[in-house]
């Protein structure tokens, strides 16, 4: 049985108001995350949870669904019906027919009973609704200086649209009140990147182009697009995964140590990395990017449809796989390729960062067998593990024979705590007012600028998708020779 941690930190009392409160994200992630912190004993303050819905008369159905989702997030032994019921009873469903002062009158009446609480407005809706919701909140006079707003991705579909969304939000909220979520930053293994790099002298000494040959960041998913056809077909893998999650991982791997662990200092270091990403050109887009789309195939013995069948639109050119060779043009990382790959309907689900160190300069051993380079493998999911691959002598006679062996650190073996979900940490940080793990608007602009050098050049050179079979490792198997070495490098598991 995992141990519980003791909590003493007192947060300011809060009202958490979730717009899109009966939607998938609220049911699957946001509310169960809060439940876990509630049973962990971390919510020592007073609080109210309000789910906003356009519909009426769905309270019973909603609560039934929430019960199922909370149970799903627990193991058999940790399901405690009494605690779950107590939590669900705290969740109030309020109807808002539309985003107007009139529409928010019931919400206002409710919040006015708790005037001294901080209001946290969580926008779990399409981003087209962000502007109207914030405007109506402002006009309803329920936003105070200590209120916060939480924004879920996608924040637009281009640089301009993302700036437009921000301009609407900032009419109501200041930058210090805005929490732009990237749930990858809430993952324990992702946060551990900071500790691994900056609490260990060993790695940081060799963390540069002098010692590192290349870095691979892979997020492979065996899932398809589930029930999100409409959203996904407008985004594709580049906007859905690379623009946010993979770029944030690049930042954490590549950034300079901030002098203190404070939101602005951390975010400024990440911003410098985003700004130093080398923009793609008409030339580099052909050699250093690949996009693909899955066709029918089989995953774990089960036949699955093609992307086009999944979305029911046969002319779609949306990519479900991207591989990029990216560069961070600064002193530390000059000419070290960052291989970024992400795809749907891959053979297996795994996310991993591999730091490939350079080979030793000279082989002094008589056998002259190849000495493999050291690798630091940071497995983010599904297992949480770090491996350091190093050359080791094979015991016994025969002179110096050696082979690569990994030193392994398995998180679950090392800690007797429950492994929290990404949203738990993020929500608690929002309540306590810590912006370290959320994105600033400047980061977003820098990320979009780089992404547009890809989307624009894809258009300029009319780069087509390479098809790949669902259940394979993407287009690497069939792609042009010149890509082969980097697309397939340590990719197939
Ligand atoms: C989301 C994407 O942000 O991240 C999804 O929209 C993707 O398409 C998901 O499946 C992956 O998250 P995780 O935590 O399962 O790796």
């Amino acid at each position: 049985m995992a141990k519980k941690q003791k909590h003493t930190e007192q947060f300011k009392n809060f009202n958490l108001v979730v717009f899109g409160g009966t939607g998938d994200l609220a049911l699957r992630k946001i509310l169960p995350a809060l439940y876990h912190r509630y049973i962990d004993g971390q919510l020592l303050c007073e609080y109210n949870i309000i789910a906003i819905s356009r519909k009426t008369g769905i309270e019973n159905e909603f609560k039934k669904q929430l019960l199922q989702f909370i149970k799903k997030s627990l193991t058999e032994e940790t399901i405690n019906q009494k605690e779950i019921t107590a939590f669900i009873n705290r969740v109030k469903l309020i109807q808002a027919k539309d985003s107007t002062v009139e529409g928010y009158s019931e919400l206002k009446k409710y919040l006015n009973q708790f005037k001294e609480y901080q209001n946290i407005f969580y926008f779990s809706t399409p981003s087209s609704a962000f502007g109207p919701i914030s405007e109506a909140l402002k006009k309803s006079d329920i936003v105070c200086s200590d209120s916060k707003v939480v924004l879920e991705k996608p924040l637009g579909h281009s640089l301009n649209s993302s700036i437009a969304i921000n301009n609407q939000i900032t009419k109501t909220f200041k930058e210090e009140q805005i929490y732009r979520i990237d749930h990858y930053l809430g993952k324990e293994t992702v946060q551990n990147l900071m500790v691994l790099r900056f609490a260990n002298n060993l790695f940081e000494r060799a963390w540069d182009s002098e010692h590192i040959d290349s870095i691979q960041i892979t997020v492979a998913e065996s899932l398809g697009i589930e029930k999100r056809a409409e959203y996904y077909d407008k985004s594709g893998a580049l906007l859905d995964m690379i623009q946010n999650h993979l770029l944030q991982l690049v930042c954490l791997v590549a950034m300079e140590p901030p002098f203190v662990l404070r939101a602005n200092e951390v975010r400024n270091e990440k911003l410098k990395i985003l700004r130093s990403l080398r923009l793609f050109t008409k030339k580099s887009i052909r050699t250093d990017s690949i996009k693909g789309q899955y066709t029918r195939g089989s995953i774990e013995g089960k036949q699955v449809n093609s992307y086009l069948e999944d979305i029911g639109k046969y002319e779609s050119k949306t990519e479900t796989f991207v591989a990029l060779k990216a560069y961070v043009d600064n002193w530390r990382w000059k000419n070290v390729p960052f291989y970024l790959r992400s795809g749907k309907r891959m053979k297996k689900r795994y996310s991993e960062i591999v730091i490939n160190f350079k080979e030793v300069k000279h082989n002094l051993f008589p056998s002259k067998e190849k000495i493999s380079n050291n690798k630091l493998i940071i497995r983010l999911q599904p297992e949480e593990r770090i491996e350091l691959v190093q050359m080791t002598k094979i015991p016994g006679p025969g002179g110096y024979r050696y082979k690569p062996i990994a030193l392994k650190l398995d998180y679950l073996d090392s800690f007797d705590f429950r492994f929290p979900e990404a949203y738990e940490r993020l929500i608690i940080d929002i309540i306590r007012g810590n912006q370290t793990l959320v994105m600033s608007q400047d980061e977003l602009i820098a990320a979009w600028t780089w992404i547009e050098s890809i989307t624009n050049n894809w258009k300029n050179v009319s780069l087509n998708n390479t098809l790949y079979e669902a259940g394979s490792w993407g287009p690497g198997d069939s792609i042009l020779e010149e890509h082969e070495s980097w697309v397939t490098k340590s990719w197939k598991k």
Side-chain angles (χ1 to χ4, degrees):
M1 181 82 141
K3 274 190 209 140
K4 275 194 187 185
Q5 279 167 292
K6 212 171 157 50
H7 299 284
T8 49
E9 187 182 354
Q10 190 75 42
F11 307 128
K12 178 162 189 193
N13 299 344
F14 65 90
N15 297 309
L16 175 69
V17 184
V18 188
F19 292 86
T22 55
D24 195 53
L25 186 74
L27 285 167
R28 236 168 9 98
K29 298 285 182 189
I30 305 170
L31 298 175
L34 212 58
Y35 171 77
H36 281 277
R37 292 302 165 125
Y38 154 73
I39 45 165
D40 266 9
Q42 196 174 11
L43 300 179
L44 299 172
C45 59
E46 298 295 322
Y47 60 97
N48 299 301
I49 305 165
I50 302 116
I52 302 289
S53 164
R54 292 200 170 225
K55 299 185 204 132
T56 46
I58 56 165
E59 184 138 9
N60 285 344
E61 182 51 32
F62 165 68
K63 293 202 163 175
K64 254 196 242 154
Q65 280 185 343
L66 182 55
L67 175 77
Q68 291 315 321
F69 278 104
I70 290 178
K71 277 188 171 168
K72 244 194 200 166
S73 71
L74 295 161
T75 56
E76 267 311 304
E77 321 81 79
T78 54
I79 294 182
N80 179 328
Q81 194 65 44
K82 230 168 103 191
E83 282 177 331
I84 303 179
T85 310
F87 177 80
I88 292 182
N89 284 342
R90 282 175 166 271
V91 183
K92 183 163 176 58
L93 196 70
I94 289 187
Q95 192 209 5
K97 284 200 300 303
D98 50 25
S99 304
T100 58
V101 174
E102 237 258 271
Y104 290 176
S105 56
E106 202 190 325
L107 173 66
K108 180 172 177 162
K109 211 160 94 198
Y110 182 80
L111 293 181
N112 276 346
Q113 301 171 69
F114 306 95
K115 273 201 150 160
E116 70 292 359
Y117 287 23
Q118 56 168 330
N119 289 332
I120 300 173
F121 300 107
Y122 199 124
F123 294 181
S124 173
T125 65
S127 56
S128 53
F130 292 178
I133 301 177
S134 36
E135 194 184 335
L137 289 175
K138 187 177 179 184
K139 286 190 180 150
S140 304
D141 207 14
I142 41 182
V143 179
C144 313
S145 58
D146 67 351
S147 300
K148 290 162 184 153
V149 65
V150 188
L151 309 178
E152 274 291 342
K153 77 175 234 304
L155 294 171
H157 53 270
S158 62
L159 177 59
N160 281 343
S161 59
S162 117
I163 292 176
I165 293 170
N166 196 58
N167 288 345
Q168 291 175 329
I169 306 272
T170 49
K171 285 184 188 147
T172 305
F173 298 96
K174 295 202 184 96
E175 179 67 19
E176 315 78 87
Q177 296 175 289
I178 305 177
Y179 290 72
R180 299 178 190 84
I181 293 255
D182 184 314
H183 80 276
Y184 265 58
L185 292 176
K187 288 182 191 276
E188 286 289 335
T189 41
V190 173
Q191 290 169 49
N192 188 44
L193 280 172
M194 295 271 277
V195 176
L196 182 80
R197 284 195 55 199
F198 304 133
N200 292 292
N201 212 5
L202 179 64
F203 298 119
E204 202 47 32
R205 299 282 149 167
W207 210 260
D208 57 22
S209 58
E210 281 274 298
H211 302 91
I212 292 177
D213 172 72
S214 66
I215 291 176
Q216 302 173 34
I217 303 185
T218 305
V219 178
E221 297 185 278
S222 53
L223 283 181
I225 50 157
E226 307 302 289
K227 291 183 185 141
R228 302 191 307 156
E230 204 191 319
Y231 151 76
Y232 195 88
D233 201 45
K234 285 193 203 122
S235 305
L238 184 71
L239 306 195
D240 186 49
M241 296 299 289
I242 309 276
Q243 190 267 351
N244 33 70
H245 307 324
L246 274 87
L247 279 189
Q248 287 295 322
L249 296 179
V250 170
C251 288
L252 293 178
V253 169
M255 70 192 229
E256 294 301 316
F259 78 91
V260 64
L261 197 66
R262 226 172 16 217
N264 277 346
E265 279 67 20
V266 173
R267 299 199 305 176
N268 281 342
E269 293 305 338
K270 289 199 294 161
L271 176 61
K272 288 185 203 161
I273 295 301
L274 292 169
R275 287 185 175 160
S276 43
L277 284 167
R278 188 183 299 173
L279 297 179
F280 279 82
T281 61
K282 265 192 192 170
K283 189 162 172 243
S284 65
I285 203 77
R286 287 182 198 275
T287 52
D288 295 355
S289 86
I290 293 171
K291 61 211 269 267
Q293 194 185 72
Y294 63 84
T295 59
R296 278 186 197 174
S298 109
I299 295 185
E300 287 174 3
K302 249 178 77 190
Q303 292 303 309
V304 296
N305 283 340
S306 68
Y307 175 70
L308 298 180
E309 288 166 326
D310 278 346
I311 60 161
K313 249 206 241 160
Y314 291 88
E315 71 290 359
S316 173
K317 302 249 185 301
T318 300
E319 80 288 349
T320 57
F321 173 94
V322 190
L324 300 165
K325 191 175 181 180
Y327 291 94
V328 175
D329 278 339
N330 67 8
W331 193 282
R332 191 191 276 257
W333 295 113
K334 194 73 193 169
N335 290 335
V336 176
F338 284 68
Y339 299 110
L340 310 183
R341 290 171 296 220
S342 183
K344 297 266 184 211
R345 286 291 189 225
M346 304 273 100
K347 190 170 184 147
K348 275 192 216 146
R349 170 180 185 250
Y350 83 90
S351 303
E352 190 170 272
I353 300 173
V354 180
I355 314 291
N356 280 305
F357 289 92
K358 286 192 169 158
E359 287 176 6
V360 288
K361 289 189 179 143
H362 167 67
N363 185 350
L364 58 88
F365 294 99
S367 80
K368 297 288 177 223
E369 252 176 78
K370 184 171 163 39
I371 298 184
S372 316
N373 62 310
N374 295 129
K375 284 182 210 271
L376 179 66
I377 304 175
I378 304 160
R379 176 65 79 114
L380 306 175
Q381 56 192 31
E383 313 86 19
E384 290 88 9
R385 194 171 63 211
I386 293 177
E387 290 182 21
L388 181 62
V389 180
Q390 31 111 46
M391 295 304 286
T392 309
K393 181 180 179 299
I394 302 170
Y400 278 99
R401 293 171 305 127
Y402 37 80
K403 66 174 196 178
I405 295 189
L407 288 174
K408 290 191 187 158
L409 167 82
D410 219 307
Y411 259 71
L412 289 186
D413 294 345
S414 311
F415 299 101
D416 193 15
F417 295 131
R418 182 181 66 81
F419 218 75
E421 264 278 316
Y423 272 87
E424 296 180 35
R425 170 66 193 271
L426 296 177
I427 291 173
I428 290 296
D429 270 2
I430 294 160
I431 297 168
R432 60 158 72 96
N434 184 340
Q435 289 186 308
T436 311
L437 296 180
V438 295
M439 280 177 296
S440 68
Q441 172 64 5
D442 288 342
E443 282 179 81
L444 210 62
I445 290 180
W448 274 118
T449 306
W450 183 73
I451 286 288
E452 287 205 339
S453 79
I454 302 170
T455 48
N456 290 339
N457 282 307
W458 274 353
K459 272 194 216 122
N460 289 341
V461 304
S462 309
L463 194 77
N464 290 326
N465 282 321
T466 305
L467 299 179
Y468 63 94
E469 213 175 290
S472 70
W473 284 117
D477 288 343
S478 57
I479 201 76
L480 303 166
E481 267 299 294
E482 75 231 42
H483 292 303
E484 187 70 8
S485 61
W486 65 267
V487 176
T488 53
K489 217 171 182 180
S490 312
W491 158 249
K492 302 168 191 181
K493 295 280 163 185

